[in-house]
Amino acid sequence: MFIDDIKNDFYRFLVGKRVLVIVNYDIDALCASRILQALFQNDHIVYSIVPIMGISGLQRTYSDHRGDTHNILLINCGGCIDVLETLEPEEDTTFFICDSHRPYDVCNIYNDGQIKILGKPSEDEGIPEFETIFRDSDTEDDSNSDSDDDPEAGESEQMTRMQKFEAKMEKQRQKRTWEADRNRIMFEYSQFSYYGRSSALVFFELAWKLSKDSLDMLWWAIVGVTEQLVLGKIERATYTLECDQIQSHVSRLTNKASDQSIQTAVRVTHENDLHLVMYRHWSVQDSLRHSIHSACKMRLWTLRGEKRLQELLVEMGLPLVQARQTYSSMDLVLRKEFYTMIEKLAEKYDLVDLIYGSFTLNYGYRYRYSAADYVYSLLANLESVGSDRLPEMCFLEAMDSLARVNRTKLDGGIERAKHLLCGIFRQVQSCLEMHQVQSAGPFLYYILTEENSLFRCPYSLTLLTQFILRAYVSASRSRRAPDLPLVSSCPIDLERGIFLMIGIPPTREDSPKNLFGRAFEQAAIKAGVSISPDFFDTSCIQIKRDDTERFLDALTVLLS
């Protein structure tokens, strides 16, 4: 069930108790857990934080810790699965769920005892009414008189049996009708996967209601919201509305009398910024080339696009020597005029989407980071998993980089992000030059046959897929291209033949709702192949290489 008063029904309920916090392996959940960690430390609440990467990780973690506490908090995990059926907990265990994944599982919504979902649902979620999807099982009266043919029974008894039979048939007909309606309602409710409000923002508002919020907590919430925008989880309009609310908190915390002494050291500002990846920590030329907006609009993977980039720099009055060196090393006058110069030329070069409202963090006299800089740094730190870097180690390092005292880890993540973005651009260029994006009719697909350590994790493969689709649409002459979604896959274990596969919606869709979660599930059944839908984002699965062709054929038939 939903609990709207999270201050009393959630936080104050946990005071004095031990809490197990299970955190999904994503940036929004990371920021949310960091805010919650600060609150718990303030109130001396005993807690354990465990990061997980999927449903199997959730089951394993709960099994390992189920004897330690009866209060479990799930951040960005558990909302879209039947928690009680999946984990089989004891009756005195309470689960608190703060999950941005949608749609929620209806069993979680209508459980009034052990499941408590933080927040209240929006009308857009279209949650079915209880009576339309749940009903008491009918107890049929199977008395012997219904089946007996007694030739000596009276006429009135025969009529009674006939009426009972008709009543029974009517009940069965009503049950079949109800089940058909239920299947239709559940399909309409669950056919798309999408994202709701940032969990980091939910916990910041909790801190605000408890009068324990700070600029650092607000910044972590901003990073969580920005991650949703950068990875295409929410619409830009939704992001803008959230920014309006965040701006009021920025003004309030900036003007607090108790904070005046530190305003020279820490400052959060809201301003129009550029959708250029980490340009404050890179060269202008590299940032323009590796940003999805500018690269796709000017087709920078082609020779003609490269010339167009040079023309843009010339019109901006930015010498190549300046454009190729680190932004912080550029001439001060050019640096101050950079935003104004590119804003004037945005319409001419069709770069209108390049400008958006963002937040920047300033501390000291030298260090300035945008929220998107943090997102790319955290993403690169999270997904730098290797033989010597376990996922838990990457998660803890990413959490440490949120603290301003660990700036070296943040900058290290930015360097890793540059390496990732360069790898993505090279892969996009190779993919388009070799015409590797194929059309299956109702969707496009791209299969990376060689193992690449850069794309073994879901978010890096998502960034690659989004870049490929936008680039393909900008280069294609087909009118259907903007209406086609893209499915891409990449090997994560060639020896075992295991591929990671994701699907993203078309570029023309205003809403980031994704139909591939249910489509993958039904295509696997239709093709008779085994997939591993272990991720909480249902549009991401693992599949065996030998099953890929049959699976895509079944998906083609399903979506035709």
Side-chain angles (χ1 to χ4, degrees):
M1 68 175 181
F2 291 97
I3 53 173
D4 191 17
D5 186 4
I6 62 175
K7 176 181 175 181
N8 293 309
D9 295 339
F10 163 64
Y11 191 78
R12 288 183 174 166
F13 175 83
L14 294 178
V15 173
K17 300 175 182 177
R18 184 181 180 88
V19 186
L20 172 63
V21 184
I22 302 178
V23 186
N24 188 30
Y25 206 78
D26 68 60
I27 296 169
D28 179 39
L30 175 73
C31 295
S33 64
R34 188 67 185 86
I35 294 171
L36 200 65
Q37 185 181 34
L39 289 175
F40 283 172
Q41 289 173 349
N42 192 317
D43 289 312
H44 307 290
I45 297 176
V46 182
Y47 67 92
S48 298
I49 293 181
V50 183
I52 59 168
M53 295 191 72
I55 297 173
S56 59
L58 174 62
Q59 292 172 320
R60 184 170 57 253
T61 299
Y62 177 71
S63 177
D64 293 342
H65 295 83
R66 66 189 304 161
D68 299 337
T69 178
H70 297 293
N71 299 292
I72 317 293
L73 172 61
L74 307 178
I75 302 180
N76 280 3
C77 58
C80 301
I81 61 173
D82 187 343
V83 172
L84 298 186
E85 182 181 359
T86 304
L87 301 181
E88 300 178 351
E90 290 80 5
E91 293 183 359
D92 58 348
T93 301
T94 303
F95 291 91
F96 296 93
I97 298 175
C98 185
D99 195 353
S100 61
H101 295 92
R102 301 290 188 275
Y104 287 121
D105 187 275
V106 291
C107 294
N108 294 334
I109 293 172
Y110 290 112
N111 184 294
D112 294 334
Q114 295 180 262
I115 307 296
K116 301 183 186 299
I117 303 173
L118 306 189
K120 58 182 179 181
S122 65
E123 296 180 358
D124 298 337
E125 293 181 26
I127 296 174
E129 296 293 333
F130 180 85
E131 296 77 11
T132 61
I133 53 175
F134 294 104
R135 63 180 289 179
D136 296 331
S137 58
D138 294 326
T139 55
E140 302 293 341
D141 184 15
D142 294 329
S143 60
N144 291 332
S145 59
D146 289 338
S147 56
D148 288 343
D149 280 333
D150 186 0
E152 297 183 359
E155 184 177 346
S156 60
E157 293 181 11
Q158 291 284 356
M159 289 294 292
T160 303
R161 284 203 298 270
M162 183 64 69
Q163 290 171 353
K164 287 182 178 180
F165 177 76
E166 291 176 352
K168 182 178 178 180
M169 294 300 295
E170 179 63 20
K171 278 187 177 181
Q172 291 179 351
R173 187 190 65 78
Q174 290 177 356
K175 185 177 180 181
R176 286 194 299 269
T177 303
W178 179 86
E179 288 176 347
D181 289 341
R182 180 188 187 278
N183 292 337
R184 176 184 56 79
I185 292 169
M186 287 301 297
F187 176 79
E188 292 174 354
Y189 172 66
S190 61
Q191 64 176 324
F192 294 107
S193 60
Y194 57 101
Y195 286 83
R197 202 155 188 247
S198 160
S199 296
L201 194 55
V202 171
F203 284 121
F204 169 76
E205 291 185 349
L206 170 64
W208 168 49
K209 292 174 182 177
L210 292 167
S211 300
K212 296 176 181 177
D213 54 336
S214 65
L215 269 175
D216 282 328
M217 288 184 182
L218 178 59
W219 180 249
W220 299 332
I222 290 170
V223 173
V225 174
T226 305
E227 180 247 8
Q228 292 189 314
L229 176 72
V230 169
L231 294 178
K233 294 180 177 181
I234 58 174
E235 303 173 30
R236 181 175 283 200
T238 304
Y239 169 79
T240 303
L241 290 174
E242 296 288 18
C243 285
D244 290 341
Q245 295 186 12
I246 291 171
Q247 173 60 20
S248 64
H249 290 295
V250 171
S251 302
R252 177 179 56 82
L253 289 171
T254 302
N255 295 323
K256 279 177 67 173
S258 60
D259 290 341
Q260 291 303 313
S261 60
I262 64 168
Q263 284 311 300
T264 55
V266 182
R267 188 172 72 257
V268 175
T269 55
H270 180 256
E271 59 189 9
N272 284 337
D273 204 356
L274 301 173
H275 259 308
L276 296 179
V277 291
M278 302 177 295
Y279 70 92
R280 293 183 181 87
H281 314 279
W282 215 351
S283 69
V284 169
Q285 189 176 40
D286 282 333
S287 183
L288 281 165
R289 180 178 290 114
H290 297 100
S291 299
I292 186 170
H293 292 79
S294 53
C296 293
K297 290 294 184 182
M298 295 191 288
R299 304 178 188 176
L300 296 182
W301 54 87
T302 64
L303 184 60
R304 185 175 178 181
E306 187 66 25
K307 290 181 179 179
R308 191 166 171 78
L309 174 60
Q310 306 301 328
E311 291 174 9
L312 172 62
L313 295 174
V314 169
E315 286 202 53
M316 289 172 60
L318 194 62
L320 282 179
V321 175
Q322 297 285 334
R324 288 174 178 171
Q325 64 181 324
T326 308
Y327 181 81
S328 58
S329 302
M330 284 171 53
D331 185 89
L332 181 61
V333 175
L334 292 174
R335 208 162 64 230
K336 287 184 175 179
E337 295 178 352
F338 176 64
Y339 175 83
T340 307
M341 290 187 295
I342 203 167
E343 186 180 28
K344 288 180 180 178
L345 296 170
E347 188 173 351
K348 178 179 179 181
Y349 286 86
D350 196 21
L351 297 176
V352 289
D353 291 339
L354 207 62
I355 299 169
Y356 76 115
S358 180
F359 293 89
T360 55
L361 174 69
N362 300 267
Y363 57 93
Y365 294 99
R366 295 181 53 193
Y367 307 118
R368 188 181 187 195
Y369 299 91
S370 71
D373 294 338
Y374 264 73
V375 169
Y376 284 109
S377 175
L378 292 172
L379 187 148
N381 279 334
L382 273 178
E383 303 210 331
S384 59
V385 180
S387 57
D388 58 336
R389 287 176 59 86
L390 297 175
E392 293 79 10
M393 182 189 302
C394 296
F395 184 90
L396 293 175
E397 183 171 326
M399 180 175 281
D400 287 343
S401 65
L402 282 173
R404 286 180 285 108
V405 294
N406 293 322
R407 190 179 59 82
T408 53
K409 292 185 177 180
L410 178 67
D411 291 340
I414 287 176
E415 294 304 314
R416 286 193 184 104
K418 292 178 184 178
H419 178 64
L420 171 63
L421 292 169
C422 288
I424 288 175
F425 184 82
R426 289 193 300 269
Q427 197 65 44
V428 171
Q429 188 173 30
S430 171
C431 164
L432 295 178
E433 287 178 352
M434 299 177 66
H435 305 286
Q436 291 178 322
V437 178
Q438 303 294 322
S439 175
F443 64 92
L444 304 168
Y445 67 92
Y446 166 70
I447 300 176
L448 182 61
T449 54
E450 297 180 359
E451 190 168 0
N452 190 325
S453 60
L454 289 177
F455 311 123
R456 295 180 62 184
C457 297
Y459 283 145
S460 52
L461 183 58
T462 298
L463 287 175
L464 172 65
T465 307
Q466 290 174 345
F467 207 139
I468 287 176
L469 181 57
R470 289 281 296 273
Y472 177 84
V473 170
S474 67
S476 176
R477 296 181 180 179
S478 171
R479 293 182 179 179
R480 292 189 62 225
D483 298 315
L484 296 176
L486 174 64
V487 174
S488 66
S489 72
C490 170
I492 57 176
D493 190 341
L494 275 178
E495 291 184 2
R496 295 167 54 207
I498 304 297
F499 276 62
L500 181 67
M501 179 177 288
I502 69 166
I504 63 171
T507 59
R508 188 170 285 172
E509 287 288 341
D510 294 331
S511 171
K513 289 187 175 182
N514 197 321
L515 59 82
F516 280 110
R518 285 295 298 272
F520 283 164
E521 179 185 330
Q522 294 180 18
I525 296 173
K526 193 177 186 67
V529 302
S530 175
I531 62 173
S532 175
D534 190 50
F535 301 96
F536 293 106
D537 186 344
T538 55
S539 60
C540 183
I541 61 171
Q542 289 184 11
I543 188 171
K544 293 182 179 178
R545 175 174 50 192
D546 297 338
D547 296 334
T548 302
E549 186 175 349
R550 275 188 298 155
F551 178 79
L552 290 176
D553 288 343
L555 190 62
T556 303
V557 173
L558 184 67
L559 298 180
S560 296

